[in-house]
């Protein structure tokens, strides 16, 4: 099986500093893994009021969900990110945390949507992932 490919075509700006790629090209024969939106809650349901802490916990939660399906961040083709009170400062926090999880590897295609509110009081961040692993 060929691997998931990420492409940033000429004519589009470099999205790497913001933690994503423009395209994810899925190889044939992949198994689709859909991870529901993960917030910053700990396993016992606690939610920090700090945005950066919620982002880090949500990414940790996403990794736990991926692992349950035999997937890792390198298998993630696409992310959907929801941010309450979005700002460039929050975008930089997200970019740094994505760099921490993915390192130098190409980042998934991603859409960030600013929202006025999420499901729980105090919830500031949610991330959904679409991963592809060998069938």
């Amino acid at each position: 099986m060929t691997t998931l490919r990420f492409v940033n075509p000429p004519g589009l700006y470099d999205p790497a500093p913001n933690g994503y790629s423009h395209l994810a090209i899925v190889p044939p024969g992949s198994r689709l893994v859909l991870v529901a939106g993960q917030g910053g809650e700990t396993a016992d349901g606690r939610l920090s009021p700090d945005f950066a802490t919620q982002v880090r916990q949500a990414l940790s939660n996403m990794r736990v969900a991926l692992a349950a399906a035999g997937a890792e961040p390198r298998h993630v083709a696409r992310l959907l990110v929801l941010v309450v009170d979005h700002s460039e400062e929050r975008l930089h926090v997200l970019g740094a945390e994505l760099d921490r999880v993915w390192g130098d590897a190409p980042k998934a295609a991603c859409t960030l949507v600013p929202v006025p509110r999420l499901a729980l009081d105090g919830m500031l961040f949610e991330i959904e992932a679409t991963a592809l692993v060998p069938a």
Side-chain angles (χ1 to χ4, degrees):
M1 179 184 119
T2 58
T3 60
L4 184 60
R5 287 191 316 128
F6 298 98
V7 179
N8 292 310
L12 297 177
Y13 88 101
D14 179 10
N18 294 325
Y20 72 98
S21 297
H22 285 294
L23 298 173
I25 300 172
V26 177
S30 296
R31 180 172 50 94
L32 187 63
V33 176
L34 303 173
V35 178
Q38 298 298 306
E41 305 87 4
T42 59
D44 62 3
R46 287 182 291 124
L47 187 63
S48 170
D50 177 65
F51 179 76
T53 302
Q54 284 194 32
V55 171
R56 184 167 282 207
Q57 183 64 51
L59 286 168
S60 176
N61 294 346
M62 178 194 74
R63 291 177 82 176
V64 168
L66 287 168
E72 301 174 14
R74 68 185 175 91
H75 296 118
V76 174
R78 186 172 191 285
L79 297 170
L80 174 63
V81 175
L82 306 172
V83 178
V84 174
D85 296 328
H86 174 64
S87 65
E88 283 199 38
E89 179 182 340
R90 288 189 169 184
L91 178 60
H92 293 302
V93 168
L94 173 60
E97 288 299 318
L98 291 172
D99 282 345
R100 185 182 63 76
V101 172
W102 269 265
D104 291 336
K107 309 305 183 288
C110 181
T111 299
L112 186 153
V113 181
V115 295
R117 161 176 182 92
L118 289 166
L120 303 174
D121 290 341
M123 192 174 177
L124 303 173
F125 181 84
E126 188 170 359
I127 189 166
E128 176 184 298
T130 301
L132 297 123
V133 293

